[in-house]
């Protein structure tokens, strides 16, 4: 067949070469028929039995996880079990069967469509992509209802046709991924997904090349087609010529050698050639992720996205995680880091990602009641979380990070609530760190333009570059029609970053970057040259960022950094940033 190329989203580094293995999901396009009145309860039981069976499957998979399995897999299996237990999945479809007489499959898919539409309205990339969790849980239940299943070739007696398998699928669930531990696979290609999809997260943690969001890959690629994944470029080459195949094999060998070299840097401090130490931290979503951070050699957790603990409970505010549940989760992360600091961001939900199913007719959800605005409007939820964080601080260093602050009263009210939480715990004789550090996310331009207000009242700052770029450039980063305008080195962004780090230096408080820019190796020299001394990123990216730091002489960068900050010409900035990589 003739060779052709598909373009997608690169989510990990490296090159994979192998045969295509198509993973067929259970179709969400199921049979639709009405059930007779006398058969309603039998149909309800059929769905309940399927849900129970999937629960058992997930428990078995979890119990059989090998010790070397990525922590992300266990965490995602926990999330799937939680979603499966949520009444929006376990009870709402049963009500649809009883009220509308739909068959079990139709009722389940109807409910999934409602939930998926709600997730489509979420502004945050990471949480919006969690829609895939709900769909994957539904597909697993549908497999039981319809009797369908996916199988993968097992290692043992493999030949060239089954070795070096590249999985091609519409999307891949964490449970399905567990089949891969016994299979000879070395890459992923999916029709759907983005930077924060399961396939992206797990492929990064495994160091396996992957390209997601390809569109029609699972329909255009045939079983056993030869594929090349160039996950640096986001390209999938189907049926490559012998010459192209040989060129990529040579590049692949060089990358494997370089990766082995990087692994030796785990215990090496991230110090520039002229003696400046940079603190490298990890971003995590669940307590189990702290183990991966330790494995990668992180100096601490720079961002614990606490909203992940609240997922899977949509529509049932009274079933939000209790203080005790949150305390245990935070404590586990703190203990796993063995004395290294853990920065926990307070709940970043609201407006576009509400904790209940009430309709929110908001034209601009990103500008609505979210993050600290939501927490101050729901003081009981906020107080419960603050108490849990404070209690966890008795087991190791905890920093509280508050997102999306822009007003003086938000700072004052947040600090007052923290003091109230301390007073309550002290009255109850519960231990906590009385000197716990409190910081703010700088992700709203107003915050970056009023930094004296922040540095006077807070202990540290952390720049959320993803939102800062979105709000500064007035670009919805989830809107494909304006995605090309999203520019992390726009002169306005660079000026705001420079203002923030300079204000921190003058006040003597640390300023970190925990957004996407921190994990982009192409921007490492720019950021540390501007003065940032703390970078927080996905754990798997730490080694390559550390290598870049070790090869950098900060003093030599300074003339180039000054040139970049003086310029407002996008072309000049782009060329100058690229040239930083060649500065000796």
């Amino acid at each position: 067949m003739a060779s052709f190329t598909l373009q997608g989203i690169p989510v990990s580094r490296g090159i994979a070469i192998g045969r295509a293995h198509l993973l067929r999901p259970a179709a969400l396009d199921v049979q639709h028929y009405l059930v007779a009145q006398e058969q309603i309860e039998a149909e309800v039981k059929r769905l309940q039995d399927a849900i129970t069976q999937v629960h058992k499957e997930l428990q078995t998979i979890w119990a059989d996880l090998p010790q070397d399995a990525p922590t992300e897999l266990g965490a995602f299996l926990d999330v799937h079990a939680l979603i499966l237990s949520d009444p929006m999945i376990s009870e709402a479809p049963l009500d649809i069967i009883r009220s509308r007489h739909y068959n079990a499959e139709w009722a389940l898919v109807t409910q999934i469509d409602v939930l998926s539409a709600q997730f489509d309205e979420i502004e945050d990339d990471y949480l919006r992509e969690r829609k895939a969790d709900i769909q994957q849980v539904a597909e697993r239940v549908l497999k039981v209802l319809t009797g369908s299943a996916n199988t993968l070739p097992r290692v043992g007696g493999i030949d060239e046709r089954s070795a070096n398998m590249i999985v091609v699928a519409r999307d891949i669930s964490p449970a399905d991924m567990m089949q891969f531990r016994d299979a000879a696979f070395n890459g992923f290609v999916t029709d759907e997904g983005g930077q924060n999809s399961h396939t992206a997260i797990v492929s990064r943690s495994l160091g396996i090349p992957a390209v997601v969001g390809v569109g029609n890959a699972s329909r255009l690629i045939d079983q056993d087609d030869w594929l090349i994944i160039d996950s640096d470029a986001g390209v999938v080459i189907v049926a490559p010529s012998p010459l192209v195949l040989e060129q990529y094999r040579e590049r692949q060998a060089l990358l494997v050698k370089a990766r082995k070299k990087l692994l030796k840097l785990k215990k090496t401090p991230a110090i520039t050639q002229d003696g400046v130490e940079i603190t490298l931290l990890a971003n995590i979503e669940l307590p189990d992720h702290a183990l991966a951070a330790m494995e990668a050699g992180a100096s601490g957790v720079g961002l614990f996205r606490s909203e992940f603990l609240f997922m899977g409970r949509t529509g049932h505010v009274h079933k939000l995680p209790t203080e005790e549940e949150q305390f245990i989760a935070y404590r586990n992360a703190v203990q796993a880091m063995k004395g290294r600091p853990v920065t926990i961001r307070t709940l970043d939900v609201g407006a576009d990602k509400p904790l209940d199913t009430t309709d929110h007719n908001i034209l601009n959800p990103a500008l609505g009641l979210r993050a600290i605005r939501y927490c101050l409007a729901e003081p009981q939820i906020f107080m419960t979380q603050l108490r849990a964080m404070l209690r966890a601080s008795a087991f190791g260093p905890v920093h509280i990070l508050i997102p999306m602050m822009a007003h003086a009263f938000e700072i004052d009210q947040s600090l007052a609530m923290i003091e109230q939480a301390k007073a309550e715990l002290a009255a109850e004789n519960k231990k906590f760190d009385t000197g716990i550090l409190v910081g703010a996310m700088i992700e709203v331009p107003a915050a970056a333009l009023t930094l004296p207000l922040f540095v006077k009242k807070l202990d540290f700052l952390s720049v959320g570059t993803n939102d800062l770029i979105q709000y500064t450039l007035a670009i919805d980063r989830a809107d494909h029609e304006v995605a090309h305008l999203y520019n992390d080195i726009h002169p306005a962004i660079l000026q705001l970053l420079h203002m923030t780090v300079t204000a921190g230096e003058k006040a003597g408080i640390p300023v970190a970057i925990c957004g996407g820019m921190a994990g982009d190796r192409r921007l490492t020299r720019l950021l540390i040259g501007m003065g940032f001394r703390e970078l927080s990123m996905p754990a798997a990216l730490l080694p390559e960022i550390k290598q870049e730091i070790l090869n950098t002489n900060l003093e030599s960068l300074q003339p180039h950094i000054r040139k970049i900050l003086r310029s407002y010409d996008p072309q000049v900035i782009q060329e100058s940033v690229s040239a930083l990589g060649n500065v000796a």
Side-chain angles (χ1 to χ4, degrees), residues 46-64 76-91 94 136-145 175 312:
R46 192 164 74 89
L47 181 51
Q48 288 174 324
D49 289 346
I51 291 172
T52 299
Q53 183 172 328
V54 171
H55 261 302
K56 291 178 181 177
E57 289 176 0
L58 292 175
Q59 289 169 359
T60 300
I61 293 169
W62 210 107
D64 291 342
F76 288 139
L77 289 172
D78 286 340
V79 170
H80 278 207
L82 189 63
I83 290 172
L84 196 58
S85 299
D86 192 286
M88 299 302 288
I89 300 294
S90 62
E91 295 177 12
L94 307 183
Q136 288 162 2
V137 167
E139 285 183 351
R140 203 157 189 87
V141 176
L142 287 171
K143 288 177 189 177
V144 174
L145 289 170

Side-chain angles (χ1 to χ4, degrees), residues 523-537:
L523 302 178
T524 300
R525 294 191 175 199
L526 171 67
L527 295 176
I528 64 175
M530 291 171 69
F532 288 97
R533 298 294 177 261
E534 293 185 13
L535 306 178
S536 191
M537 66 206 72

Side-chain angles (χ1 to χ4, degrees), residues 261-269 543-544 546-547 550:
K261 206 171 178 181
L262 276 179
L263 294 176
K264 298 177 182 178
L265 299 177
K266 175 183 174 180
K267 296 182 179 179
T268 304
E544 63 183 70
K546 182 180 288 187
Q547 183 187 55
L550 295 172

